[in-house]
Amino acid sequence: MAHQKKNRNVGIIGIGQTKHSSHREDVNQPELIHEAVSLALKDANLTMKDIDCVVHGNMELFEMVHSPDLWHVLGTGAYGKDSIRITTGGTVGATLSCASDNLVASGMYDIVMAIGFEKLQEGHTTGGITNMACPLWFRKIQAGALTGSSAYDVEREFGLERADRASLMYRIIMDKHASLNPNAHRAFGLDFSQIDDLIRTSPKLVGELKLIEMCSQSDGACCVIYACEKKAKELSKIPVWIRDHITVHKEENFTIFGYDRKYPVLKTHKFAAEQLFKRNGINDPLNYFDVFEMYDPATWWAIDWIRDFFNLQGDEHLRLIEEKEIMIGGKMPINPSGGVIGSNPIGATALVRVAEAALQVRGNAGPHQIPTPVNHALASGFGGTMWTVMTMLEKELNW
Amino acid sequence: MTTKKTAGVEDSYQIEGKMALPYSYFAGRVGSKFITTLRDQKKIMGVKCPACNTVYVPPRQVCDVDFTDIRDAWVELESTGTVKNFTVVRYDDKHLPRKAPFVLALIQLEGAGTPFAHILEECKIEDVRIGMKVEAVFAKETTQTILDIDHFKPAAEKASIHEVNARRKQWVPTDEPAEASTRKGGKPDMSKPVIITAALTGAATMRNQNPSVPYKPEEFAEEAYKCWKAGAAMVHVHAREDGGMATHDHARIKATYDAIKDKCPELIVCLSSAVGMGKTAEQRISQIVYIKPDMASLNTNTMNFGIVDRKTGKIFIDYVFENTFGMLQDFGKVMEENGVKPEIECYDMGGLDNTLMIGKQGIFSDPMNFNFVWGVAGGQQFRTEAFIAMMNALPPKANFTTCGVGMDQYPCIMQSCILGGHMRVGLEDNIRMPNGALAKGSYEQVEVAVNIANCLGRPVATTDEARLIMGLRKR
Amino acid sequence: MAEYWGVKVEDIFNTMKDRFRPEGAKDVDAVFGYDIAGEGKWKLTVKNNAMTLEKADQLSGCIATMSADGETFVGVNTGKVDATNAFMSGKFKVEGDMGAFGKTGKLFRKFVLAKKEMTTKEYLADMFATIVPRFKAREAEGLEASFGFDLGGPDGGKWTVFIKDKVCTVTETIEGKPTVTLEFNDARDYVDFILGKIDAQSILAAGKASAKGDINMMASKWPILFEKYKDPMAGAVQEQELLVLKKTISLNEKFSTGPIMGKFLKGLKEKKIFANRCPECGRLQLPPREVCAECRVRAGEFVEVGPKGEVRYMDVVYYAMPDPLTGVARETPYGSIFIRLDGCKGNETLPHFIRKDQIEKIQRGWNEKKGTRVRPVWEEKRIGDIWDIKYFEIDE
């Protein structure tokens, strides 16, 4: 499928990320973007002159500016260059990566820069998302960005106590990872001994979804530079190769709440993972990949999705968590960066997944680098009402 | 129950909707400084890109053309500008800042490299022209946005002194008989251009008395430039340290002198040979030799130079300003030898007589240039008859200008102008305007001097004319 | 009582009255409790746009009570500690009505850290104590002089600084006849003068001070002999004011229903709920759609379903979010339900809201297990809009 039609290979040669945090009153939107762009150019040892095309992403209604790419030129450096803006909701960062990959692979451009950003303290996430889709119906009746349905699912399947503990276990592992990542937004210094206390005290947001289990609202930006094989080898000592990516959509409506096993719902993560692994001949993804940067907007989704992505059976996914196999040093380290729960500048978040996975492959992620060699990495993006983007990264060009 | 009926066009209709979203916009450091300066100081700030020299208004962190980081490269701009283009908004919408019709103009501020859109009011729409001069009208109440400039209005149509000078015939010296007799005859030559000098600082005027006193070289340059634009042909300079202390440091004085010359090459710069209290003769003269300015002040008399309460006579500072015959002779010689024309400072008739007496050695080249100084505690107060007596005592061909401390400033320059002499203003002598308000800078006092000249019909000297009149070296 | 960043817990409470914003207290009628470990308990009563604060032994009757240690409390109030971090990590806890406690954020202006200042006396002591260390002996070659300081006012005093044989000494009197003596009517002016807040000329011209003796020695020699006095309070750089512009974007819109949605909405006017069926997979779409997205075929056949049904799923929403129509946050908690109307199967559910007082009683469905039966409550005057159904209620 897709990757077989690639005209040429594409490598990541530059990565820049701001520290993700709340309340960046000291910068406006282009200024925040400029920080990430400058870091990525420095990382790749390039200047803006070397960039052929800028792919810029945004979340509609989040930054409250019409045509933000015009204003953002001050930060993106797109003055006088080919530039494309992409807006695909929560997946936007992942789509930026796919688009950049495609633009280089097609032969259209040699070097492309992808830029995702968010200033969630300026806009209103829930307000923005509530205005999603059909204005006559869903917009008026939407419950907001959040749902507790995944918690409901896991609880019903595995019992309240085990579910709650697995969720908090996942949360604390993410916090421990975030504590190692200097760019992470929320790193509280939580410990496993706090599980029971947090289950009891953390305020509920929706259904069983508690505040502590939800991702942060962050300000931050991420920039990744893509180059064709020839340029990547010339310009970078450690290019990270993009093997394949896949995007799966479904319809926008919310009719996923029938809870009747006779009528299964399309699960895009599971569907996308199966397609992607099949066409790349990967039979045992859990063993094949060395790290997974997952778009985990809340712990409940995360623990449920591990099963979907790796096609696990029964309670295998819970045991991975309970036995801390998803921690750095475990069998399948998930989100050494601390994940979306640790930092969530939404327009950048899915690009941060690709960037962090690439950093792990490069082997210079910093304090949160996995100690064992990383040759194969996986990154996911999530958005809309259950859309999926997945990206596979490789250390060597030998597939 | 099932109906087979399918929907048709007649089922479609329109529903009114609304979207309301709260948001907070962070202006960032650069944006915040722009707005707070606008709000609190009614000043419009921009940033200048050092790579491409573009001055951006409103300011930005990065130059979008060459991607240079320019967040700290602040420059202050004039609140006047030129209409580069405009449009007339003729429809009403609640999101628009004014009721239609109104003019939205692209205005490029003086000193700015880029225009920005703003509202143009206080004139008929049909009178708006591309190229017209406009000035900012600041809002009474802040919105913390660009609308802290409420709108622009047409700038008062007043030709600048430079435009006036460009239109008139240039002054040339004539072979007139000795001028002293003319002066005594009471018929001063009103067609002779009047030289306006701005004394920017002196050694003692401090920022807390008037915040516009320049300390740093670039501040001197900016202030000197404004004075030149207003009509001054010469500035008189006492260099300062960053903290405001008067200095005799060669490097600092040179930096100050060069900054002015860089900004405004044609302007005549007169340095001081009295660079603050308690400086030695060597400290006072060596810097003049080092820099060789167009002109330098030369003091003529050892005198009291103190601070005394004029109401009670109480002495606050009892200080003697030492200017011996020897210093007068030596300083004068050194200046003339180095091509620096002395400006001879006379605080009373005695100083003038001293100069004429020592000058018999043949130290001073013609024309000699005198400055009558009024109102120093230790010198004489301004009196019209004393002025005339001093003027009448001048040698033939000599020029005279005058300055007065405090509120003596305006009467004495006016008298000088009437009598065919020249005028010196500036914060060194007086920090205020005729109405008692603090001067925004020496340049505002220059504007007063220009007005005096206009009232009397005397042309204001260009720098070239001033050089000719005072016998300075060509630039 | 412990200080954190120079602020006591009491300082926060004592300034509440001054920082109170009546405009932020509209619609607030509640008692809030504050339990600061090791410091005490406080009760804040807000009513009729006014507040009272009292120290209390116990905090019963409070709608919400926050608890934290002194450091966290002061830190959060002074901006030294990130409030969200403190809250999430459990250092800052709220028990009771979380939503109500959130309103306390609007009740007060920010606590501003008062800058600690040195008194005139402290400054004078420091200035003369540092004279000897600031003395530059190499500049005093062959110099013998004394400088007298006669500084008046309540905080004033007298000092003499002697320089002889390249040694500097200071006495706290005026001895003999100094080479030069500075007299200030008020020592505060001297402090301001040394700190550079006011210059010598202005002080002298205003008659606030005078110099006796060898003025030149003071004006020219002193600055060479001594290093400049450094203000120990300097360096506290004024933080730049950063602007935040708050706006509500509000846009009026018009949407065409199209024939499919139009028929559905018109049906509501007649108290009828229409779904349409996919001819390929047979599923009912609710609300109806032009095509079945799964089968990519036109869905035409309309089927009236409901209006009663069973709840398959419900989210109880505790987290307020803005109503897209007004920008104002909805009141929480509310129950967002997914109803399988009679005549539908599987995932053919309709989202709506449940009657507020019935949230607790709702059972969700699961495979064969039935959820609570509900029925729509219709508006009297229906206009063909989703809100023609006010909400659903239990069908008893």
Side-chain angles (χ1 to χ4, degrees):
Chain A
M1 286 182 55
H3 67 291
Q4 289 161 353
K5 289 186 182 170
K6 254 183 173 175
N7 274 333
R8 51 183 183 172
N9 289 311
V10 180
I12 290 173
I13 60 163
I15 296 167
Q17 246 187 101
T18 61
K19 163 142 181 57
H20 307 296
S21 60
S22 51
H23 294 283
R24 286 297 306 271
E25 276 111 334
D26 60 326
V27 285
N28 64 17
Q29 292 170 17
E31 290 166 357
L32 181 76
I33 289 163
H34 181 240
E35 287 181 15
V37 169
S38 302
L39 287 167
L41 288 171
K42 197 174 158 219
D43 181 57
N45 199 19
L46 298 177
T47 70
M48 212 53 223
K49 289 192 183 74
D50 301 309
I51 308 297
D52 300 324
C53 176
V54 172
V55 183
H56 183 33
N58 80 308
M59 300 284 294
E60 64 261 89
L61 299 181
F62 279 30
E63 69 278 273
M64 308 294 177
V65 177
H66 179 67
S67 293
D69 43 331
L70 297 180
W71 181 31
H72 292 176
V73 160
L74 295 174
T76 62
Y79 184 92
K81 290 187 186 298
D82 283 17
S83 180
I84 297 165
R85 172 156 60 93
I86 287 177
T87 305
T88 66
T91 52
V92 65
T95 312
L96 291 173
S97 181
C98 297
S100 304
D101 183 25
N102 291 354
L103 286 168
V104 177
S106 69
M108 189 92 178
Y109 305 103
D110 283 349
I111 303 184
V112 172
M113 177 189 264
I115 305 162
F117 96 103
E118 201 64 69
K119 291 200 79 187
L120 277 185
Q121 309 304 329
E122 294 192 356
H124 201 300
T125 332
T126 321
I129 289 180
T130 312
N131 283 289
M132 180 162 65
C134 175
L136 305 178
W137 189 255
F138 292 110
R139 181 166 142 188
K140 296 184 174 184
I141 216 110
Q142 251 238 60
L146 314 177
T147 149
S149 65
S150 293
Y152 181 54
D153 295 351
V154 182
E155 271 168 24
R156 245 187 311 203
E157 195 172 346
F158 300 101
L160 181 65
E161 199 194 332
R162 188 175 180 199
D164 261 345
R165 292 188 61 83
S167 165
L168 262 295
M169 177 74 91
Y170 182 89
R171 179 67 188 86
I172 289 167
I173 290 171
M174 287 307 118
D175 192 64
K176 287 192 177 295
H177 286 175
S179 302
L180 296 172
N181 177 4
N183 287 329
H185 176 189
R186 299 285 182 202
F188 304 123
L190 301 178
D191 194 79
F192 295 114
S193 62
Q194 284 173 276
I195 288 181
D196 290 329
D197 194 37
L198 287 169
I199 289 173
R200 200 168 43 78
T201 58
S202 185
K204 283 181 182 175
L205 296 175
V206 177
E208 290 306 315
L209 176 63
K210 294 180 275 294
L211 182 59
I212 189 74
E213 294 162 336
M214 195 60 201
C215 57
S216 55
Q217 295 199 25
S218 314
D219 288 0
C222 179
C223 175
V224 178
I225 301 172
Y226 301 78
C228 63
E229 181 178 344
K230 183 166 169 288
K231 290 262 182 184
K233 283 176 169 167
E234 273 170 30
L235 295 169
S236 174
K237 287 196 190 84
I238 36 170
V240 177
W241 305 106
I242 297 175
R243 178 162 173 182
D244 199 1
H245 59 75
I246 187 168
T247 301
V248 174
H249 281 189
K250 71 190 285 291
E251 57 194 315
E252 43 78 22
N253 67 38
F254 285 79
T255 55
I256 53 174
F257 296 113
Y259 289 105
D260 193 336
R261 74 177 129 222
K262 282 189 291 185
Y263 303 93
V265 182
L266 176 68
K267 298 183 98 173
T268 54
H269 285 348
K270 193 175 161 74
F271 183 78
E274 281 170 3
Q275 300 288 315
L276 183 70
F277 300 152
K278 192 177 162 201
R279 74 190 187 196
N280 284 285
I282 293 162
N283 300 321
D284 186 359
L286 202 57
N287 274 324
Y288 182 79
F289 290 104
D290 301 308
V291 65
F292 179 28
E293 273 289 339
M294 174 169 59
Y295 194 117
D296 55 342
T299 58
W300 294 105
W301 272 333
I303 60 179
D304 194 32
W305 291 352
I306 292 174
R307 179 159 66 173
D308 287 355
F309 281 122
F310 292 110
N311 199 14
L312 303 179
Q313 306 302 317
D315 67 348
E316 254 185 296
H317 59 306
L318 290 192
R319 278 191 280 118
L320 276 178
I321 297 163
E322 287 158 351
E323 288 157 22
K324 298 179 189 161
E325 293 291 356
I326 61 163
M327 270 184 94
I328 295 173
K331 185 181 161 96
M332 171 48 69
I334 292 180
N335 296 349
S337 61
V340 184
I341 286 173
S343 327
N344 189 20
I346 300 185
T349 297
L351 186 59
V352 172
R353 304 280 69 73
V354 177
E356 284 288 347
L359 284 171
Q360 291 291 342
V361 175
R362 274 179 15 175
N364 58 2
H368 60 290
Q369 174 69 41
I370 292 168
T372 48
V374 178
N375 295 313
H376 319 286
L378 186 64
S380 78
F382 158 78
T385 47
M386 298 293 168
W387 295 354
T388 304
V389 180
M390 295 178 76
T391 308
M392 279 174 67
L393 303 176
E394 297 282 349
K395 187 165 200 153
E396 306 293 342
L397 268 175
N398 59 0
W399 61 83
Chain B
M1 190 180 92
T2 305
T3 63
K4 286 282 180 193
K5 186 178 179 289
T6 47
V9 204
E10 71 280 4
D11 287 313
S12 181
Y13 60 101
Q14 283 202 321
I15 283 190
E16 304 262 323
K18 188 180 173 179
M19 185 174 78
L21 289 172
Y23 80 106
S24 317
Y25 163 63
F26 298 172
R29 285 198 186 283
V30 174
S32 292
K33 178 163 173 171
F34 174 69
I35 296 292
T36 53
T37 314
L38 187 59
R39 179 192 68 190
D40 302 335
Q41 300 172 40
K42 312 285 181 223
K43 279 185 189 170
I44 305 171
M45 304 289 286
V47 284
K48 183 174 182 178
C49 174
C52 66
N53 282 326
T54 309
V55 175
Y56 290 101
V57 192
R60 52 191 59 179
Q61 183 176 297
V62 175
C63 172
D64 56 1
V65 178
D66 49 40
F67 216 51
T68 309
D69 195 321
I70 51 175
R71 72 185 79 182
D72 295 321
W74 289 95
V75 288
E76 188 189 327
L77 292 139
E78 306 281 330
S79 57
T80 53
T82 310
V83 173
K84 290 288 173 189
N85 210 334
F86 68 95
T87 188
V88 184
V89 181
R90 298 193 189 274
Y91 73 104
D92 273 316
D93 187 292
K94 64 174 177 168
H95 298 288
L96 293 172
R98 292 287 192 274
K99 268 197 85 66
F102 68 96
V103 176
L104 208 52
L106 270 181
I107 294 158
Q108 189 160 342
L109 295 179
E110 265 173 65
T114 51
F116 64 91
H118 217 297
I119 302 154
L120 178 55
E121 281 179 342
E122 297 190 42
C123 63
K124 286 185 191 153
I125 288 175
E126 51 273 26
D127 290 344
V128 177
R129 296 282 178 274
I130 289 173
M132 76 188 280
K133 302 274 181 229
V134 291
E135 63 179 286
V137 177
F138 296 99
K140 289 195 178 67
E141 280 180 27
T142 180
T143 55
Q144 312 213 113
T145 67
I146 188 66
L147 287 175
D148 278 11
I149 301 173
D150 188 74
H151 62 273
F152 281 80
K153 67 172 186 186
E157 274 297 333
K158 207 176 79 180
S160 82
I161 190 68
H162 296 274
E163 288 164 359
V164 172
N165 277 343
R167 284 200 288 268
R168 71 171 164 81
K169 221 176 121 194
Q170 293 301 287
W171 178 85
V172 282
T174 51
D175 287 330
E176 283 176 34
E179 287 188 19
S181 59
T182 319
R183 282 200 284 269
K184 280 176 190 155
K187 286 206 292 187
D189 180 5
M190 284 295 168
S191 69
K192 190 171 175 180
V194 54
I195 302 164
I196 299 173
T197 300
L200 303 181
T201 49
T205 312
M206 306 300 282
R207 278 235 175 108
N208 60 348
Q209 296 165 284
N210 186 319
S212 303
V213 176
Y215 288 170
K216 294 181 178 170
E218 60 268 27
E219 293 166 355
F220 272 96
E222 198 53 47
E223 185 70 12
Y225 178 71
K226 285 182 185 166
C227 290
W228 171 76
K229 276 191 80 173
M234 176 155 91
V235 288
H236 176 59
V237 170
H238 295 243
R240 300 292 188 89
E241 291 169 6
D242 279 356
M245 287 283 286
T247 181
H248 61 270
D249 177 56
H250 290 190
R252 180 70 176 198
I253 300 172
K254 179 143 177 44
T256 307
Y257 182 83
D258 288 348
I260 297 170
K261 286 287 185 183
D262 283 350
K263 176 91 186 176
C264 196
E266 67 179 70
L267 187 62
I268 303 165
V269 179
C270 171
L271 289 183
S272 174
S273 67
V275 283
M277 263 188 191
K279 309 284 185 189
T280 65
E282 164 64 18
Q283 286 168 347
R284 286 170 56 178
I285 192 63
S286 63
Q287 43 111 9
I288 302 290
V289 177
Y290 175 64
I291 296 165
K292 299 186 179 49
D294 301 304
M295 212 171 187
S297 64
L298 177 64
N299 293 288
T300 54
N301 206 351
T302 297
M303 61 189 289
N304 287 320
F305 206 116
I307 296 181
V308 175
D309 186 332
R310 286 196 189 273
K311 283 188 200 122
T312 63
K314 189 170 183 297
I315 304 159
F316 299 128
I317 278 201
D318 196 0
Y319 175 70
V320 174
F321 185 25
E322 202 176 62
N323 296 295
T324 62
F325 282 162
M327 287 162 75
L328 177 55
Q329 163 195 293
D330 297 347
F331 283 18
K333 276 185 182 165
V334 166
M335 285 183 194
E336 292 279 359
E337 280 163 17
N338 283 282
V340 179
K341 195 83 178 168
E343 182 188 76
I344 299 158
E345 314 294 328
C346 298
Y347 298 83
D348 56 26
M349 189 66 100
L352 201 158
D353 283 338
N354 291 348
T355 313
L356 299 181
M357 181 160 64
I358 304 299
K360 295 232 162 89
Q361 295 179 31
I363 298 168
F364 302 110
S365 60
D366 270 340
M368 289 167 76
N369 297 296
F370 289 84
N371 179 22
F372 304 158
V373 187
W374 310 95
V376 171
Q380 65 190 354
Q381 293 284 289
F382 172 66
R383 293 181 186 86
T384 53
E385 58 275 32
F387 194 108
I388 290 167
M390 286 179 78
M391 180 187 79
N392 286 341
L394 291 175
K397 293 186 181 163
N399 296 303
F400 63 95
T401 185
T402 192
C403 66
V405 173
M407 282 312 193
D408 275 359
Q409 183 176 70
Y410 299 109
C412 79
I413 60 169
M414 198 151 183
Q415 171 142 26
S416 184
C417 196
I418 289 172
L419 294 174
H422 305 292
M423 300 190 273
R424 171 174 132 174
V425 290
L427 299 182
E428 166 165 1
D429 309 321
N430 176 25
I431 57 171
R432 295 184 186 280
M433 296 298 287
N435 65 2
L438 279 184
K440 286 185 194 135
S442 297
Y443 69 94
E444 256 202 326
Q445 298 176 341
V446 172
E447 287 168 5
V448 175
V450 170
N451 269 341
I452 291 172
N454 288 342
C455 290
L456 295 171
R458 279 190 72 179
V460 173
T462 65
T463 54
D464 286 341
E465 287 170 338
R467 281 172 198 279
L468 268 178
I469 293 168
M470 295 193 289
L472 306 188
R473 62 175 191 247
K474 291 219 168 78
R475 71 177 154 111
Chain C
M1 199 153 290
E3 272 191 16
Y4 310 96
W5 301 279
V7 179
K8 297 189 197 79
V9 168
E10 294 242 307
D11 296 340
I12 309 281
F13 286 110
N14 291 341
T15 54
M16 271 188 176
K17 198 121 206 151
D18 294 332
R19 294 186 288 118
F20 185 69
R21 299 168 63 246
E23 64 273 26
K26 280 175 199 157
D27 325 317
V28 183
D29 180 359
V31 183
F32 303 97
Y34 295 85
D35 183 355
I36 314 301
E39 302 274 352
K41 297 183 172 74
W42 283 263
K43 250 185 189 177
L44 171 71
T45 309
V46 181
K47 203 181 170 87
N48 301 331
N49 296 350
M51 63 151 274
T52 52
L53 182 75
E54 53 178 335
K55 248 192 132 159
D57 295 330
Q58 46 82 33
L59 295 173
S60 63
C62 291
I63 187 163
T65 298
M66 68 82 45
S67 52
D69 60 27
E71 183 175 357
T72 306
F73 181 70
V74 171
V76 166
N77 274 282
T78 52
K80 300 284 180 189
V81 169
D82 183 293
T84 313
N85 272 355
F87 183 70
M88 297 284 267
S89 59
K91 284 185 179 160
F92 184 108
K93 288 181 190 153
V94 176
E95 273 170 47
D97 187 340
M98 182 70 205
F101 187 80
K103 289 182 184 164
T104 59
K106 286 187 181 164
L107 290 177
F108 303 102
R109 279 181 289 110
K110 253 170 109 172
F111 180 85
V112 181
L113 213 69
K115 197 182 160 201
K116 205 177 168 182
E117 284 182 356
M118 272 166 79
T119 63
T120 302
K121 245 192 157 53
E122 286 165 342
Y123 264 122
L124 288 174
D126 192 51
M127 283 169 180
F128 286 100
T130 56
I131 276 191
V132 174
R134 286 190 282 130
F135 177 62
K136 295 191 277 188
R138 63 179 187 283
E139 301 287 349
E141 192 76 57
L143 180 76
E144 182 175 345
S146 55
F147 302 84
F149 295 86
D150 183 353
L151 312 179
D155 300 323
K158 293 181 183 182
W159 289 267
T160 311
V161 177
F162 295 94
I163 292 165
K164 193 181 176 182
D165 301 334
K166 295 171 78 173
V167 174
C168 173
T169 50
V170 182
T171 60
E172 280 195 45
T173 52
I174 292 195
E175 287 180 20
K177 196 175 181 304
T179 319
V180 56
T181 303
L182 264 188
E183 290 178 16
F184 275 73
N185 297 342
D186 191 328
R188 282 178 297 188
D189 289 330
Y190 176 76
V191 169
D192 284 352
F193 163 61
I194 295 295
L195 294 179
K197 291 180 187 167
I198 181 166
D199 67 285
Q201 276 80 7
S202 312
I203 297 172
L204 293 162
K208 291 175 172 173
S210 57
K212 286 183 181 146
D214 187 351
I215 176 82
N216 203 19
M217 186 67 82
M218 187 61 92
S220 321
K221 206 68 192 163
W222 182 275
I224 299 168
L225 286 169
F226 297 95
E227 278 166 21
K228 249 185 116 177
Y229 177 73
K230 282 202 186 92
D231 184 355
M233 299 310 290
V237 189
Q238 175 93 43
E239 188 49 33
Q240 190 195 339
E241 179 184 358
L242 296 173
L243 299 179
V244 176
L245 196 68
K246 290 200 182 290
K247 289 260 178 192
T248 294
I249 283 187
S250 175
L251 300 169
N252 291 327
E253 301 156 325
K254 266 182 192 150
F255 296 105
S256 289
T257 62
I260 307 291
M261 208 51 191
K263 178 159 175 69
F264 170 74
L265 292 171
K266 278 182 176 173
L268 294 178
K269 232 169 161 175
E270 314 297 323
K271 295 196 188 180
K272 287 178 187 212
I273 303 174
F274 288 115
N276 68 350
R277 191 186 303 280
C278 170
E280 202 109 324
C281 67
R283 72 164 170 164
L284 286 175
Q285 302 199 103
L286 201 62
R289 294 303 207 218
E290 182 93 14
V291 296
C292 169
E294 280 185 26
C295 306
R296 303 178 189 89
V297 295
R298 182 173 293 274
E301 185 197 12
F302 280 90
V303 179
E304 190 186 343
V305 293
K308 294 181 182 180
E310 59 156 319
V311 176
R312 295 300 290 178
Y313 181 69
M314 177 177 73
D315 259 338
V316 185
V317 181
Y318 303 95
Y319 171 77
M321 61 117 193
D323 186 317
L325 304 181
T326 60
V328 178
R330 272 189 191 136
E331 209 177 304
T332 56
Y334 58 88
S336 165
I337 55 171
F338 291 80
I339 312 139
R340 189 150 77 195
L341 295 172
D342 294 346
C344 294
K345 63 180 188 311
N347 295 307
E348 295 156 13
T349 56
L350 175 83
H352 214 287
F353 295 113
I354 189 71
R355 214 173 90 181
K356 274 211 151 74
D357 57 338
Q358 295 185 332
I359 292 175
E360 304 287 329
K361 296 181 191 154
I362 297 298
Q363 289 292 319
R364 297 179 275 201
W366 181 250
N367 291 331
E368 287 79 27
K369 195 185 150 206
K370 300 268 183 241
T372 308
R373 295 280 302 167
V374 290
R375 64 179 175 230
V377 176
W378 298 95
E379 273 291 351
E380 275 301 301
K381 197 165 169 266
R382 292 176 302 281
I383 54 168
D385 183 270
I386 176 71
W387 297 122
D388 284 353
I389 302 173
K390 284 157 86 175
Y391 44 77
F392 280 77
E393 64 177 5
I394 295 173
D395 184 36
E396 285 157 328

